[in-house]
Amino acid sequence: RGRLSDRDVDSLANLVIEMNPAFLPHTPQKDYLFHELLQNRSGKGGRGNIVSRSWFARHIDFTHHEEMLWSLYSPTNAEKRFNTLIAMRGHGMYLCVALNIPCIALSTQDKVSGFVQACRLEDYMVDTADKRSWSEALRSKVYRLQSNESYRKTWYEQRDACLQRWSTVSRRFHQHVRYSFEECMKWRDKFGKK
């Protein structure tokens, strides 16, 4: 539950009724309980699509993750590929950025909002800590991301800039490690193997 109160879960259940999303579980236990909770709250059994537990259990082994991701985010089949996501977990955000799928982050955890801020995608986040109107803000941003070309384009631009920053940081880190290693080798050569 984290930051979500009963009222917050009711708001999410109403959003599920309205949008009928596909659910992509992160764990074989908690996420299925969350889906069942939303169904029970909505009073509409079967609302929202979810990957079957048996299929998920067969693919949870890391050796199958490539197949799982290919099945869920097929880049060659436009009908299967997601065009918008609501990410509630850090992994969901990482996948959206890595696979270039525009998303709105529903932050129920600091690590989600931290990642969003690191990518400078704050305009694409709704934090449930804002108890005033987070559910309406989420609904509004999802529809805006789906219908407003400029808003969607800006997401892609921010995502690309984020990847560029990571690449720059990664290069600097590797250069630093290489330099440090070379310096250690110089000291070893100068003072002998001790």
Side-chain angles (χ1 to χ4, degrees):
R1 292 244 183 183
R3 297 180 190 165
L4 297 179
S5 67
D6 286 344
R7 185 174 168 206
D8 294 325
V9 174
D10 287 339
S11 293
L12 275 178
N14 290 334
L15 194 69
V16 167
I17 291 168
E18 182 180 327
M19 294 185 168
N20 197 29
F23 286 86
L24 301 180
H26 174 65
T27 64
Q29 298 301 324
K30 289 190 290 187
D31 291 348
Y32 284 94
L33 293 174
F34 177 66
H35 182 257
E36 290 166 12
L37 176 66
L38 291 179
Q39 286 182 322
N40 292 338
R41 286 296 178 103
S42 70
K44 306 266 188 182
R47 295 297 300 203
N49 306 305
I50 191 165
V51 173
S52 76
R53 263 191 191 197
S54 60
W55 185 89
F56 186 74
R58 285 193 315 272
H59 290 80
I60 194 65
D61 181 353
F62 281 105
T63 60
H64 295 100
H65 267 47
E66 181 180 354
E67 177 188 346
M68 180 179 180
L69 290 174
W70 191 262
S71 300
L72 296 175
Y73 300 96
S74 175
T76 58
N77 186 342
E79 292 176 5
K80 284 187 178 180
R81 184 175 171 83
F82 292 101
N83 62 12
T84 308
L85 266 77
I86 299 172
M88 293 181 64
R89 300 285 184 93
H91 287 76
M93 278 302 301
Y94 309 151
L95 284 171
C96 289
V97 169
L99 296 170
N100 203 21
I101 301 172
C103 69
I104 301 297
L106 177 59
S107 179
T108 59
Q109 302 171 321
D110 291 340
K111 67 180 179 180
V112 175
S113 54
F115 182 78
V116 168
Q117 291 163 359
C119 288
R120 299 180 183 153
L121 289 166
E122 293 93 339
D123 196 32
Y124 300 87
M125 179 180 74
V126 174
D127 197 328
T128 58
D130 180 3
K131 293 295 180 187
R132 293 174 307 214
S133 60
W134 69 261
S135 62
E136 189 51 45
L138 177 62
R139 180 178 287 104
S140 174
K141 286 188 178 193
V142 167
Y143 286 126
R144 184 176 174 200
L145 189 60
Q146 292 174 329
S147 62
N148 185 315
E149 191 175 319
S150 175
Y151 188 60
R152 193 172 182 86
K153 182 179 179 232
T154 301
W155 187 93
Y156 285 118
E157 290 168 352
Q158 288 298 104
R159 177 261 183 190
D160 291 346
C162 181
L163 290 183
Q164 183 60 41
R165 282 191 300 277
W166 287 345
S167 294
T168 301
V169 169
S170 176
R171 278 193 302 275
R172 277 194 220 130
F173 174 74
H174 289 112
Q175 288 169 348
H176 173 73
V177 170
R178 181 178 177 183
Y179 173 78
S180 298
F181 181 73
E182 288 171 350
E183 287 299 306
C184 287
M185 296 304 288
K186 287 178 188 174
W187 278 89
R188 187 196 72 173
D189 292 342
K190 183 175 181 178
F191 296 106
K193 299 176 185 177
K194 293 186 180 178

